[in-house]
């Protein structure tokens, strides 16, 4: 098959993929996330499906990971509200891992062109320092652990890094535990009508996330300067 034919097939495949994702987002994903913002209604909807309701919730989490612009916080809060801290955290973490595995496999299969479907080349270039084998694992873990960093973007970039799937899933599992547990605790507290505790947890999470965003930007800027000086 010639190079021109490969490009045509790639373009058609990407258009179809984007159309399908757009339809799923519009008619399934966004309504589910909005429903998650109203935990009582979301719980009633999930409970109406019995044991399958948990699988549906798991699918919602996977969808949120795959579609990077969909916020994850409402879903994490809803998990704690509906299932409690332990079960809610386990279900959400399972969704994180499945979604991260799917993205990693797709990026490894199709390369940077697949990432560019969702993010600009300039945005991707911001994390070019993560391709340095000497720093990849440590910096990826730090950036994934800090609250407020664009974890879904990092999930897409992971497939471009010199790292194995097992290593990446281990980083995801360990690094996302703290922020996930704090969110589910807040959701569970709201479900038990302990609104003061829920409010405190949300305020602390928001504060830490704000600091995390600033730290994330500093790390990116510092690593870019070091990379430029080495060149």
């Amino acid at each position: 098959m010639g190079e021109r034919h490969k490009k045509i097939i790639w373009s058609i495949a990407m258009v179809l993929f984007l159309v399908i994702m757009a339809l799923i987002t519009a008619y399934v994903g966004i309504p589910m996330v909005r429903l998650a913002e109203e935990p009582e209604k979301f719980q009633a909807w999930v409970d109406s499906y019995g044991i399958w309701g948990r699988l549906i919730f798991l699918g919602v989490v996977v969808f949120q990971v795959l579609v990077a612009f969909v916020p994850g916080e409402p879903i994490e809060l809803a998990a704690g509200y509906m299932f409690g801290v332990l079960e809610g955290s386990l279900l959400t973490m399972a969704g994180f891992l499945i979604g991260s595995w799917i993205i990693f496999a797709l990026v490894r299969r199709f390369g940077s062109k697949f990432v560019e479907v969702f993010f600009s080349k300039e945005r991707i270039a911001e994390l070019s320092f993560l391709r340095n084998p000497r720093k990849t694992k440590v910096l990826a873990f730090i950036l994934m652990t800090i609250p407020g960093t664009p974890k879904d973007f990092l999930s897409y970039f992971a497939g471009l890094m010199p790292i194995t799937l097992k290593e990446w899933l281990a980083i995801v599992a360990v690094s996302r535990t703290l922020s996930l547990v704090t969110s589910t605790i807040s959701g569970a507290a709201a479900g038990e009508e302990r609104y003061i505790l829920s409010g405190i947890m949300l305020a602390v999470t928001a504060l830490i996330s704000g600091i995390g965003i600033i730290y994330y930007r500093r790390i990116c800027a510092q690593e870019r300067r070091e990379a430029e000086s080495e060149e």
Side-chain angles (χ1 to χ4, degrees):
M1 185 182 296
E3 192 65 27
R4 182 169 176 271
H5 287 162
K6 288 182 180 179
K7 289 182 178 179
I8 292 174
I9 293 174
W10 165 258
S11 299
I12 294 173
M14 281 299 98
V15 170
L16 289 175
F17 176 79
L18 289 174
V19 169
I20 292 171
M21 288 300 294
L23 291 173
I24 294 175
T25 300
Y27 292 102
V28 181
I30 292 178
M32 288 299 97
V33 174
R34 286 177 178 170
L35 189 61
E37 294 174 351
E38 301 180 77
E40 291 182 5
K41 293 182 180 179
F42 194 28
Q43 182 168 23
W45 182 78
V46 170
D47 289 345
S48 68
Y49 288 91
I51 191 170
W52 295 104
R54 283 165 170 73
L55 291 177
I56 292 173
F57 178 81
L58 182 64
V60 172
V61 179
V62 173
F63 170 83
Q64 185 275 320
V65 177
L66 294 176
V67 184
F69 65 84
V70 175
E73 188 66 21
I75 297 174
E76 295 174 20
L77 292 170
Y81 183 96
M82 294 189 296
F83 306 115
V85 177
L86 180 59
E87 186 178 3
S89 296
L90 290 175
L91 277 172
T92 308
M93 179 59 73
F96 287 162
L97 293 175
I98 294 171
S100 298
W101 170 69
I102 293 172
I103 293 172
F104 192 94
L106 288 171
V107 175
R108 281 293 165 92
R109 174 64 181 83
F110 298 108
S112 60
K113 288 183 179 180
F114 182 78
V115 183
E116 290 171 11
V117 171
F118 302 96
F119 304 98
S120 66
K121 291 182 179 180
E122 292 75 19
R123 184 88 185 274
I124 296 171
E126 291 178 2
L127 296 181
S128 59
F129 60 85
L130 286 176
R131 295 185 181 185
N132 185 335
R134 293 184 292 107
K135 299 181 177 181
T136 295
K137 296 173 188 177
V138 173
L139 286 177
F141 178 78
I142 292 173
L143 293 179
M144 286 293 290
T145 302
I146 299 172
T149 57
K151 294 176 175 56
D152 295 323
F153 173 43
L154 289 167
S155 294
Y156 272 85
F157 193 86
L160 302 177
M161 299 188 301
I163 192 172
T164 66
L165 174 61
K166 288 182 180 180
E167 290 170 337
W168 174 243
L169 293 182
I171 288 174
V172 171
V174 176
S175 64
R176 300 201 70 166
T177 297
L178 177 60
S179 61
L180 172 59
V181 170
T182 56
S183 294
T184 51
I185 288 175
S186 180
E192 297 169 1
E193 298 185 353
R194 292 185 292 167
Y195 299 117
I196 294 178
L197 174 60
S198 179
I200 291 173
M201 293 300 297
L202 286 174
V204 170
T205 301
L207 176 61
I208 295 175
S209 296
I211 296 172
I213 292 172
I214 296 172
Y215 189 55
Y216 168 78
R217 291 175 178 172
R218 287 185 177 179
I219 287 179
C220 291
Q222 179 182 341
E223 291 297 327
R224 283 198 300 271
R225 287 195 297 269
E226 289 183 7
E228 290 172 0
S229 63
E230 289 178 1
E231 292 177 358

